[in-house]
Amino acid sequence: MTTSDRVLYLFCSAAPPAFDVADVITDAQERGWDVCLGLTPTAARWLAPQLGELERLTGHPVRSEYKLPGEPDVWPTADVIAVAPATFNTINSWALGLTRDFVVGVVAEGIGKRIPIVTMPCVNAAYVQHARFERSVAELRDMGVRVLYGEGGFVPNQPGQGKPKQYPWHLVLDAAQEVSRT
């Protein structure tokens, strides 16, 4: 755990690169971030065996559900939010404002609060053929979200041909640093 004045909310959807989140947290801490980890419900289920370790690493509770009304907030205020890997469902739900899940709710509200946000999808080439995906990416960009997709970001693979160890996490952390300075 690293103590820092700069707070990064790192939000992960259920895509294979999420299994490497401990290394990403360590990298972010080495860059000077105090990291708070949020997970979609499926990502939380996938990472359930690691949740205790991830809480020790960040020094904060890992969150995947909304708090109850009146409960205190257990995290410091975010300076920047990074959503990666962001699945087809997360990108589309976010763009449409469907805030059933904690992660999507926080980033949807984060736009209105003017918190700098960066996201990098993790979707296969079949998903991106769906017309809603490209519209969602464009809408998020129009709302001020830095979307790392296409050249200089995530480039989809064919279904079943993903390379989770090659997911360019460093681009997410680089972009988080950049948008936090603007």
Side-chain angles (χ1 to χ4, degrees):
M1 178 179 92
T2 300
T3 303
S4 172
D5 292 334
R6 299 183 319 146
V7 177
L8 170 68
Y9 286 7
L10 177 60
F11 289 165
C12 298
S13 301
F19 287 108
D20 295 324
V21 74
D23 292 334
V24 179
I25 291 167
T26 300
D27 187 5
Q29 290 170 333
E30 289 172 356
R31 293 170 182 238
W33 292 104
D34 179 8
V35 181
C36 297
L37 179 62
L39 304 171
T40 63
T42 304
R45 189 173 43 124
W46 285 12
L47 296 175
Q50 299 174 41
L51 293 181
E53 171 193 338
L54 294 169
E55 287 186 356
R56 281 189 297 281
L57 184 60
T58 63
H60 302 285
V62 174
R63 295 193 53 201
S64 60
E65 296 181 6
Y66 287 107
K67 66 181 183 68
L68 294 174
E71 284 185 338
D73 207 340
V74 296
W75 286 354
T77 303
D79 292 301
V80 67
I81 303 171
V83 185
T87 60
F88 179 80
N89 185 60
T90 296
I91 292 289
N92 289 323
S93 295
W94 182 9
L96 290 168
L98 304 176
T99 60
R100 182 187 70 163
D101 294 339
F102 166 74
V103 162
V104 176
V106 173
V107 293
E109 186 177 37
I111 291 169
K113 290 181 172 181
R114 305 209 185 289
I115 299 170
I117 305 172
V118 61
T119 188
M120 187 161 59
C122 184
V123 295
N124 68 41
Y127 276 122
V128 302
Q129 297 306 309
H130 193 288
R132 180 71 246 171
F133 184 77
E134 290 293 337
R135 285 196 298 265
S136 293
V137 167
E139 289 168 3
L140 290 173
R141 285 178 172 152
D142 287 346
M143 288 183 251
V145 176
R146 177 127 176 234
V147 183
L148 304 172
Y149 172 69
E151 188 173 328
F154 180 79
V155 178
N157 297 302
Q158 292 303 312
Q161 304 298 311
K163 300 175 180 113
K165 293 293 183 192
Q166 294 178 15
Y167 186 75
W169 279 108
H170 67 283
L171 296 177
V172 174
L173 296 179
D174 291 349
Q177 286 183 257
E178 289 171 21
V179 300
S180 70
R181 294 185 190 126
T182 57

